[in-house]
Amino acid sequence: MYSYSDFDAAFVRARVGEFRDQVARRLDGRLSEEEFKPLRLMNGLYLQLHAYMLRVAIPYGTLNARQMRQLAYIADRWDKGYGHFTTRQNVQFNWPRLMDVPDMLDALADVGMHAIQTSGNCIRNVTADHFAGAAADEIADPRPVAELLRQWSTDHPEFQFLPRKFKIAVTGSPNDRAVTRAHDIGLRMVLRDGQPGFEVVVGGGLGRTPMIGKVLAEYVPEDDLLPYLEAILAVYNQHGRRDNKYKARIKILVHEEGLDSLRDRVAAEFLHRKAQFAGVPPAIAGRIADGFRPPAFRPGPVPEVRDPVLRAFIDSNVTAHRRDDHAIVTVSLKGIGATPGDATAEQMRVLAGLAETYSHDELRISHEQNIILPHVRRADLAAVHGALHKAGLATANAGLISDIIACPGMDYCALATARSIPVAQAIGQAFADLDAQRNIGPLKIKISGCINACGHHHVGHIGILGLEKAGVESYQITLGGDGTENAAIGERLGPGFAHDEIVPAVERLIGAYLDLRLGADETFLMTCRRLGAAPFRAAVYGEGRRNAA
């Protein structure tokens, strides 16, 4: 994986020193909170309901064992012994003291990590397919492009004060695991005459105005990608709305001006930018490429699996690797009743050790709040499973109903209007039986604790949105959302439910699905698409409640 150059390391260390001085001035009163707020946000430090929260960038979700151990060290020394992995492939520490944050940032810099541009109206952490570089269905590893975008966008002088935050996702596979169509810019690798380039999607986003991104360009050669993206950002920076923060994302510009108008503006700007672009310097391009060379795989046997527990784990948590004798292992952070996305410091150390021993020193963070070991020999799966089991990390539920995405909600977040973690825990407990989960089959439940949709509920097969209504938590259900290459926004089912009503409502949904499906091969999403929402609505609300609504 890519490691920092001397320039990178000096840049990050200088930013820590600068922020250390700012924190000192805030602590002794020379800076007010109003003056300090924009400075802390530039360094990923939020003020939440109960404490500060430090959001740490994990570019394209890739970590090595040393970095994971450092996160564990930070969790133990300056937080409460755990970290929370997010839908942006970041990690958050929820309980730091302000006086400790500069030391935390210094500790991150020791292993080539930082919290820069994890907040603010700038280009945020670039995300990517969490199976990148390993997936059997991949055209090519998209992470060299993601790393180039990281370097290009970090502290970019033109794009530090955009109308609103800006998110980019990249995938190298036709099967979209990076939710590219729900990003401001989504990049999907495609081939033309045997040459890889990118389909560029623009204007996707969730939040209070959910929209699926539209194709701005069907194919942009890789050599033209930076000036093309610069052209999009320049047009957005100039024409995006700044009068209303809720209408400031590029999706609103696309919606109000139209895709063709935006395409014309970008095309004109692209000619200007391309004329000035001399290409990526070969030394930089070579250094990035070297950082993503495939590891030195060791051939191994593909043993027969006779242990039924291991067989069940492989069926749900193991994905095909580009090599037949290797596999991709998804480590679920969704143990039954656990907080989605949380890992203890000790669990982080176990994962670091497994990465070193069995996965060529690589770990990935998925946007679904799980951890990936991307390069495990099939001959080692039993040993990996055994170690995960001892650490409480072997729950065989990846992609099943208890593998729930949930934002921190009102347990931590200052913006939230309802709890999301307890809802996820209660659903997990209601469907605790793994055999029953396998009978239900693939299903993605996503929960957000407010309209900002950090839990991606709009693209959940079942989405749950928690809101405050007349001082009481109320939960809306959406149905049929999808974050893949067939992306769709879920349809709102009807009136909301009280906190104690939402789990029974989900149970009625699942019961209806099991009654309606044509067979075990028809997934929940397939049944929704075949029949629409009506039979599910009837099952959830019943005649009396539907009439009352």
Side-chain angles (χ1 to χ4, degrees):
M1 58 181 285
Y2 179 83
S3 58
Y4 276 11
S5 65
D6 291 343
F7 174 86
D8 297 325
F11 173 83
V12 170
R13 198 69 75 177
R15 280 289 294 263
V16 175
E18 183 181 79
F19 190 55
R20 185 179 293 280
D21 175 67
Q22 293 162 353
V23 169
R25 286 190 283 148
R26 173 68 187 115
L27 289 171
D28 67 18
R30 284 178 288 164
L31 287 177
S32 66
E33 169 55 24
E34 185 180 2
E35 293 167 325
F36 182 59
K37 181 178 179 180
L39 303 175
R40 64 173 167 77
L41 290 177
M42 289 174 66
N43 291 278
L45 187 63
Y46 291 71
L47 187 54
Q48 298 286 52
L49 281 177
H50 313 294
Y52 285 100
M53 179 272 284
L54 181 64
R55 179 180 293 159
V56 178
I58 301 176
Y60 34 89
T62 296
L63 283 174
N64 61 28
R66 183 168 172 249
Q67 290 171 324
M68 184 64 100
R69 285 199 181 91
Q70 195 75 336
L71 296 180
Y73 169 73
I74 289 170
D76 270 342
R77 175 155 184 188
W78 292 296
D79 208 86
K80 292 194 175 183
Y82 69 94
H84 177 74
F85 293 96
T86 77
T87 55
R88 290 292 302 161
Q89 297 180 307
N90 294 315
V91 61
Q92 294 180 174
F93 295 105
N94 286 314
W95 302 98
R97 296 185 304 173
L98 179 57
M99 61 186 294
D100 294 331
V101 172
D103 290 337
M104 296 170 76
L105 293 175
D106 255 332
L108 290 168
D110 288 344
V111 294
M113 299 183 74
H114 60 74
I116 299 167
Q117 292 187 198
T118 57
S119 179
N121 293 334
C122 55
I123 301 170
R124 300 287 187 89
N125 184 39
V126 177
T127 56
D129 182 354
H130 42 267
F131 294 164
D137 60 357
E138 192 173 73
I139 296 171
D141 188 344
R143 290 176 303 158
V145 169
E147 171 58 25
L148 181 65
L149 298 182
R150 184 194 71 80
Q151 295 190 21
W152 161 75
S153 61
T154 300
D155 227 22
H156 194 302
E158 187 177 351
F159 304 135
Q160 286 303 295
F161 299 97
L162 294 166
R164 198 71 178 91
K165 59 187 174 184
F166 202 92
K167 298 176 180 177
I168 301 175
V170 192
T171 180
S173 166
N175 298 304
D176 187 357
R177 290 175 288 265
V179 204
T180 59
R181 295 178 75 90
H183 283 72
D184 296 288
I185 290 178
L187 301 175
R188 188 172 69 90
M189 191 179 292
V190 293
L191 292 173
R192 178 173 287 183
D193 299 327
Q195 294 299 311
F198 286 91
E199 176 192 78
V200 179
V201 172
V202 69
L206 303 178
R208 65 183 60 226
T209 312
M211 293 185 184
I212 296 299
K214 298 178 173 61
V215 177
L216 188 67
E218 292 183 352
Y219 179 85
V220 175
E222 195 168 325
D223 288 346
D224 289 344
L225 192 61
L226 276 189
Y228 194 78
L229 297 190
E230 277 208 350
I232 297 172
L233 266 296
V235 169
Y236 169 56
N237 205 16
Q238 186 173 359
H239 298 281
R241 290 181 59 172
R242 294 176 188 267
D243 61 318
N244 183 339
K245 68 179 288 189
Y246 302 119
K247 297 183 182 298
R249 298 289 289 269
I250 194 171
K251 61 187 175 185
I252 302 298
L253 181 65
V254 175
H255 177 70
E256 292 184 346
E257 294 209 358
L259 185 65
D260 290 340
S261 172
L262 182 75
R263 185 180 286 120
D264 290 343
R265 289 183 192 272
V266 170
E269 184 67 28
F270 172 64
L271 290 178
H272 170 66
R273 300 269 170 171
K274 183 175 170 58
Q276 297 181 328
F277 182 60
V280 179
I284 292 177
R287 193 167 190 284
I288 291 174
D290 287 344
F292 296 97
R293 304 283 182 209
F297 293 111
R298 289 186 301 118
V302 181
E304 182 180 354
V305 178
R306 296 178 177 172
D307 177 356
V309 176
L310 177 59
R311 180 74 264 165
F313 178 80
I314 290 173
D315 286 346
S316 58
N317 290 43
V318 172
T319 303
H321 193 275
R322 60 176 53 193
R323 289 175 58 97
D324 291 340
D325 57 355
H326 280 62
I328 303 168
V329 175
T330 296
V331 181
S332 171
L333 296 183
K334 319 289 176 53
I336 303 302
T339 299
D342 277 10
T344 67
E346 185 53 35
Q347 287 174 329
M348 293 184 210
R349 292 188 184 96
V350 168
L351 289 164
L354 290 174
E356 280 179 332
T357 306
Y358 298 110
S359 189
H360 295 273
D361 198 22
E362 278 199 41
L363 296 143
R364 309 283 173 75
I365 311 304
S366 79
H367 78 274
E368 296 184 321
Q369 299 179 287
N370 290 320
I371 308 290
I372 311 298
L373 295 166
H375 304 300
V376 178
R377 294 199 316 166
R378 287 195 173 269
D380 294 328
L381 285 175
V384 169
H385 177 257
L388 291 173
H389 180 71
K390 289 179 182 175
L393 289 168
T395 307
N397 64 345
L400 302 178
I401 189 171
S402 62
D403 183 9
I404 298 170
I405 288 180
C407 73
M410 219 159 59
D411 286 275
Y412 297 100
C413 180
L415 300 176
T417 52
R419 291 168 291 171
S420 52
I421 292 172
V423 174
Q425 292 169 321
I427 293 173
Q429 288 164 338
F431 294 92
D433 185 289
L434 285 172
D435 288 334
Q437 291 192 43
R438 293 185 196 102
N439 180 47
I440 295 167
L443 180 56
K444 294 184 184 298
I445 295 182
K446 303 174 190 284
I447 307 172
S448 300
C450 78
I451 198 69
N452 292 301
C454 292
H456 295 181
H457 66 277
H458 295 296
V459 292
H461 302 167
I462 297 174
I464 298 174
L465 167 62
L467 296 168
E468 182 271 333
K469 194 172 181 180
V472 178
E473 289 170 276
S474 175
Y475 294 86
Q476 293 177 358
I477 292 177
T478 53
L479 208 62
D482 185 7
T484 71
E485 63 279 6
N486 302 309
I489 300 296
E491 176 184 347
R492 183 181 166 189
L493 206 56
F497 296 89
H499 186 269
D500 61 353
E501 296 175 328
I502 185 63
V503 175
V506 171
E507 291 176 316
R508 292 197 292 277
L509 270 179
I510 300 305
Y513 158 63
L514 294 175
D515 289 340
L516 293 167
R517 69 182 182 182
L518 296 177
D521 291 338
E522 186 177 69
T523 66
F524 182 89
L525 186 59
M526 291 163 69
T527 303
C528 286
R529 287 177 171 166
R530 178 171 59 84
L531 298 175
F536 293 97
R537 186 174 291 118
V540 168
Y541 291 102
E543 196 63 31
R545 176 153 184 167
R546 192 164 65 251
N547 291 339

